[in-house]
Amino acid sequence: MPAPRRIRRTAPGGLLAALLAVTTASACAGPGETEAEAVGAHAADESATGTAEGFPEGTFDYQLGASYEPPAGVGTVVRDSTAEPAPDMYSICYVNGFQTQPGDLEWWLLEHPDLILRDASGEPVVDPGWPAERILDTSDEDKRADIAEILAETIATCAEKGFDAVEFDNLDSDLRSQGLLTQDHNLALATELVALANGHGMAAGQKNAAEVTQRGRDEVGFEFAVAEDCAVWSECSAYTGVYGDDVIAVEYPDALEEAGMTFAEACDAEGAPSRMILRDLDLVGPEHEDHLYEAC
């Protein structure tokens, strides 16, 4: 059974903040050309690639809920696109690539209602685990192009802020689409998003979706992976078997408890990556009493 997405805590309104920001793409669009097309063409014409040459020494921290000074021993930090990258760290920018952010839902419904996946009755398809989000419709080539053009603004913002890489969340939204989307639909959009990230000189990472890791690397061009609860779901090998040591993994206490597993056992799980951490479910900062951070 594919592991469901467990957690994605980000500041609301990420897309709106990016769209309202003044962004400059590394490749300028020509007449009749969208920014997404321009950056994709730049990536192809200039053989632009991401920057992933292996993570730096040290472990990592997953800071989607709050930004703070990383613990000692951390060399890589993941933050939301609305945040600033961690100074002197390998910084990964979180982008919700396949669903709407909670704070951006009204904007999508008002400005791009055609890009929201609809069920047979015409109602937007909701992510059951995140009812404030709606699934984006990746089933059509034109819609994928439109989604990529919108997300190009956020990706450009990540680059301008100085992030080194991007992780694209909800690649597995087809599992929650009531059968209306397929892996092929989402992988086709992912290919466009990876080209955009690479066009800005950033690496691109696969988020979850253990069942498509080989295709994600070989067909889409992902250069690393971000896995949640891979030890709980016995899926770590699906990531490390494809991406080697270019995998960062997050385990959460509730899932471990439900599985009857300790974090120490998760660290020793088959195929567990060298960079695995335990975080509190809401990813709060160290000033909060619920803050939890441990590294293998």
Side-chain angles (χ1 to χ4, degrees):
M1 175 182 176
R5 177 176 46 82
R6 307 299 293 178
I7 179 72
R8 282 178 301 93
R9 292 299 187 196
T10 70
L15 178 61
L16 283 179
L19 289 172
L20 291 173
V22 178
T23 60
T24 304
S26 63
C28 296
E33 185 178 38
T34 66
E35 180 186 337
E37 292 169 339
V39 174
H42 172 75
D45 294 344
E46 302 298 329
S47 298
T49 59
T51 58
E53 297 178 353
F55 292 114
E57 290 296 321
T59 186
F60 80 105
D61 196 2
Y62 209 50
Q63 297 187 359
L64 300 189
S67 297
Y68 51 87
E69 183 176 353
V74 168
T76 300
V77 175
V78 184
R79 288 181 177 173
D80 186 62
S81 62
T82 59
E84 296 296 322
D88 303 318
M89 298 281 167
Y90 186 83
S91 294
I92 302 174
C93 188
Y94 170 95
V95 174
N96 195 347
F98 299 83
Q99 296 186 181
T100 65
Q101 285 288 80
D104 297 336
L105 177 56
E106 291 304 318
W107 181 85
W108 281 96
L109 291 173
L110 179 64
E111 300 292 335
H112 298 281
D114 59 313
L115 300 182
I116 303 297
L117 186 66
R118 309 275 173 164
D119 61 21
S121 65
E123 291 299 314
V125 178
V126 178
D127 177 345
W130 295 89
E133 297 188 20
R134 302 296 181 273
I135 295 174
L136 297 177
D137 189 351
T138 63
S139 65
D140 177 87
E141 182 177 358
D142 290 337
K143 290 182 178 180
R144 290 194 294 268
D146 289 343
I147 293 169
E149 173 62 17
I150 292 168
L151 294 179
E153 299 285 349
T154 305
I155 295 167
T157 297
C158 293
E160 289 174 357
K161 288 182 175 182
F163 282 96
D164 301 291
V166 183
E167 71 155 284
F168 293 105
D169 199 10
N170 287 311
L171 178 63
D172 58 355
S173 68
D174 60 286
L175 299 177
R176 301 178 292 279
S177 70
Q178 301 177 17
L180 299 173
L181 301 178
T182 67
Q183 289 180 357
D184 288 342
H185 293 147
N186 280 4
L187 291 174
L189 174 59
T191 302
E192 296 188 53
L193 298 180
V194 169
L196 287 165
N198 288 173
H200 286 288
M202 296 183 293
Q206 174 180 332
K207 174 69 169 293
N208 294 331
E211 64 277 7
V212 296
T213 50
Q214 196 69 57
R215 295 186 68 189
R217 188 178 182 98
D218 296 345
E219 299 175 25
V220 176
F222 286 123
E223 294 139 298
F224 65 93
V226 180
E228 293 175 304
D229 289 330
C230 73
V232 167
W233 291 91
S234 301
E235 292 183 335
C236 295
S237 294
Y239 297 99
T240 55
V242 173
Y243 291 100
D245 200 39
D246 293 329
V247 179
I248 55 178
V250 188
E251 299 291 322
Y252 299 102
D254 290 352
L256 287 171
E257 182 179 359
E258 186 175 335
M261 180 183 293
T262 67
F263 181 55
E265 290 171 333
C267 293
D268 291 335
E270 182 179 359
S274 61
R275 296 171 182 82
M276 176 181 281
I277 62 172
L278 176 67
R279 282 298 332 257
D280 55 279
L281 193 62
D282 290 327
L283 302 173
V284 295
E287 74 285 350
H288 198 289
E289 63 180 3
D290 293 330
H291 175 77
L292 175 63
Y293 178 91
E294 293 182 31
C296 292

